[in-house]
Amino acid sequence: MKIIHTSDWHIGKIVNEFSMIEDQKYILNRLIDLIEKEKPEVLIIAGDVYDRSIPPVEAVELLNETLSNLIIDKKVKVLAISGNHDGGERLSFGSQILEKHGLYIAGRDDELYKHVVVKDGEKNVNFYLIPYKDPALTRKISDEKEIKSHNDAMKFVVEKIKEDINYEEVNILVGHGYVTMKREDAIECIENKYEVANLETSESERPLSIGGTDLIDGKIFDDFDYVALGHLHGRQKIGREEMKYSGSILKYSFSEVKQKKGVYILDINNKDAINIDFKCLKPVRDLRVIKGNIEDLIEEARELEEGKEDYIQAILTDDGELINPMEKLRAVYPNTMLITRERKREISEDKTSAKGEYKRKSKLELFKEFYEDLGSGDYTEEKEVVLMNTINEVLKSEVK
């Protein structure tokens, strides 16, 4: 049996005021092309199908078009869970009717998990779909007052699953959240808990709680043959090869520029061993960071044969003021999203006030100290001349 693991489509997402809907339509068509080539029996979507709990109309239309193609035309079974960005009730609306056609969605508020059995010849492959829920909701519907964290909630649900699990068959779990093998080390951290948890995070992921209560211990899933995870946008394994985040299908922040996006393909052979391969999906536009003098960047762009339509963050190294830099860059890179200036010096609290004996120093000396601490570029003789002329003009005007 072939299975494709994907997650975090975030259909309808807006990045830096740019709608990603056309990019998402393109990449989902590339996914359909891959499915047509690989011919999997099952497609897993591990949460965050939409970017908002109430998605825009064009997002709903795109998902409907994609799922119709997969289920009706390609005859692929689609197994999806709601993520923290999804409205679980909306996403799973009509799911009982749709299951007859091969679409299984776990997301209802009163649903701890959904068990889906797919036949692989004479064998069963069991899929356990655990939708994202706030621990308070899991505590309410389970009536377990000791559930206080995401780890408590997941542990409770997995124990429920294990009451009826058949260990002679292949068992695959689908979940959404922060899963780590170093939870105990990380829960005491405040500022860098995800780093201590050995998780690669990005700016486009939303924290699920504070104080480490969103971290889930990966050892909870030891009894499953494969764990398909969603929420983290960078693909990565957690502890073992059979527990993975597939990552998002597109780059949704400039912290993801070095990530390769795609899907995992699982191939379960006759001995129940799982072979795992990663397939890249190339977007119609990439997210890139460029850096340099604005005139040099413009000149380089004019010589490019491809990549001009990419989404761009430009880090400008120019010294001094710039006139309409966004307008100039968008003339060659029409999808420039962000412009930042390179900070050439680190700012600390002791550099925000004048140094000792400042009352005895001239205005020129004070400004020179200020510029050397906080300014852009080197303090040159030309700049000093401009500064002296400016100070003299100000002093003359004060005398009049």
Side-chain angles (χ1 to χ4, degrees):
M1 175 184 287
K2 270 191 180 181
I3 302 163
I4 288 184
H5 168 202
T6 179
S7 72
D8 293 87
W9 291 4
H10 288 278
I11 300 178
K13 190 171 184 65
I14 295 174
V15 179
N16 295 307
E17 301 182 5
F18 281 72
S19 170
M20 303 299 288
I21 199 75
E22 289 302 319
D23 301 77
Q24 291 167 334
K25 184 173 184 178
Y26 178 88
I27 207 70
L28 288 173
N29 282 331
R30 301 294 73 75
L31 174 59
I32 290 170
D33 291 342
L34 179 65
I35 286 171
E36 191 166 4
K37 178 183 177 181
E38 296 290 339
K39 294 181 170 43
E41 285 80 3
V42 174
L43 173 72
I44 293 171
I45 312 174
D48 284 352
V49 180
Y50 289 124
D51 190 58
R52 285 176 273 171
S53 58
I54 304 177
V57 173
E58 60 268 25
V60 176
E61 290 174 347
L62 177 54
L63 181 62
N64 180 59
E65 178 184 326
T66 302
L67 293 179
S68 296
N69 193 321
L70 292 170
I71 296 164
I72 297 172
D73 299 337
K74 302 296 183 290
K75 307 300 181 185
V76 175
K77 289 181 171 59
V78 176
L79 280 57
I81 64 171
S82 59
N84 59 296
H85 280 256
D86 297 307
E89 289 289 341
R90 284 187 176 84
L91 187 66
S92 58
F93 176 77
S95 58
Q96 289 181 325
I97 298 172
L98 297 171
E99 284 178 8
K100 297 178 181 179
H101 300 282
L103 176 60
Y104 301 84
I105 301 175
R108 295 199 326 267
D109 285 349
D110 61 350
E111 187 175 36
L112 288 175
Y113 70 93
K114 183 186 293 290
H115 179 200
V116 179
V117 181
V118 179
K119 286 284 185 182
D120 182 18
E122 296 181 358
K123 296 183 179 181
N124 290 335
V125 177
N126 299 290
F127 296 85
Y128 295 94
L129 314 181
I130 304 179
Y132 171 82
K133 280 182 175 55
D134 186 270
L137 182 55
T138 303
R139 180 171 64 246
K140 179 180 178 181
I141 62 179
S142 65
D143 199 29
E144 286 289 326
K145 295 181 173 54
E146 296 303 313
I147 294 177
K148 298 177 181 178
S149 67
H150 287 271
N151 190 67
D152 296 338
M154 184 62 75
K155 189 174 182 179
F156 175 81
V157 176
V158 169
E159 289 302 320
K160 282 287 184 184
I161 291 172
K162 287 162 66 174
E163 289 176 4
D164 299 312
I165 198 169
N166 184 344
Y167 292 102
E168 299 300 317
E169 299 174 340
V170 176
N171 298 295
I172 295 174
L173 182 140
V174 184
H176 191 92
Y178 291 104
V179 177
T180 174
M181 302 304 292
K182 296 186 176 182
R183 181 177 182 271
E184 294 303 318
D185 295 332
I187 55 176
E188 301 299 328
C189 300
I190 298 175
E191 295 182 357
N192 61 341
K193 65 174 181 177
Y194 300 127
E195 183 179 337
V196 174
N198 200 25
L199 297 176
E200 181 188 346
T201 59
S202 66
E203 294 172 358
S204 54
E205 295 147 3
R206 184 184 299 169
L208 304 179
S209 65
I210 59 173
T213 59
D214 54 356
L215 295 175
I216 298 170
D217 188 351
K219 292 188 287 291
I220 292 173
F221 309 118
D222 282 349
D223 292 323
F224 294 89
D225 298 287
Y226 184 83
V227 182
L229 297 171
H231 186 57
L232 297 184
H233 287 190
R235 65 184 175 102
Q236 52 201 286
K237 72 173 183 178
I238 305 299
R240 57 187 170 111
E241 290 296 330
E242 297 79 20
M243 183 156 57
K244 291 182 182 289
Y245 286 95
S246 65
S248 58
I249 56 170
L250 286 173
K251 299 174 184 178
Y252 290 128
S253 73
F254 287 103
S255 62
E256 301 171 46
V257 292
K258 295 181 180 180
Q259 296 177 1
K260 289 186 177 180
K261 302 297 185 177
V263 299
Y264 282 115
I265 299 180
L266 285 61
D267 196 348
I268 304 174
N269 62 30
N270 293 330
K271 296 180 180 179
D272 294 338
I274 301 178
N275 297 316
I276 305 168
D277 191 20
F278 182 79
K279 294 290 185 181
C280 288
L281 295 174
K282 186 177 180 181
V284 63
R285 303 176 189 87
D286 202 357
L287 252 76
R288 293 195 290 119
V289 176
I290 59 176
K291 179 178 177 180
N293 180 285
I294 188 169
E295 295 301 330
D296 292 340
L297 295 178
I298 291 171
E299 189 60 34
E300 290 171 7
R302 287 174 179 152
E303 297 176 1
L304 282 179
E305 294 184 3
E306 59 181 44
K308 291 184 179 181
E309 298 295 319
D310 288 349
Y311 297 113
I312 298 294
Q313 177 187 5
I315 303 174
L316 302 182
T317 59
D318 301 76
D319 192 13
E321 291 299 315
L322 294 172
I323 299 174
N324 297 326
M326 181 64 82
E327 182 179 330
K328 290 179 179 178
L329 277 173
R330 283 184 174 170
V332 289
Y333 288 116
N335 295 315
T336 301
M337 286 183 166
L338 291 174
I339 290 180
T340 57
R341 301 293 293 270
E342 183 183 40
R343 186 173 296 282
K344 298 184 179 180
R345 298 179 179 87
E346 293 296 323
I347 300 175
S348 58
E349 290 185 7
D350 64 339
K351 292 185 177 181
T352 60
S353 59
K355 297 175 183 177
E357 299 185 349
Y358 66 91
K359 291 183 179 180
R360 297 183 182 181
K361 296 178 181 179
S362 67
K363 293 178 176 62
L364 185 61
E365 289 173 318
L366 288 171
F367 188 85
K368 181 179 179 180
E369 286 183 2
F370 173 81
Y371 190 88
E372 287 177 342
D373 284 343
L374 303 176
S376 174
D378 298 324
Y379 186 84
T380 62
E381 291 183 5
E382 290 80 6
K383 290 178 181 178
E384 184 165 293
V385 170
V386 172
L387 178 60
M388 288 176 64
N389 291 336
T390 303
I391 292 173
N392 287 334
E393 288 296 324
V394 172
L395 291 176
K396 285 179 184 178
S397 66
E398 290 179 350
V399 173
K400 291 179 180 179

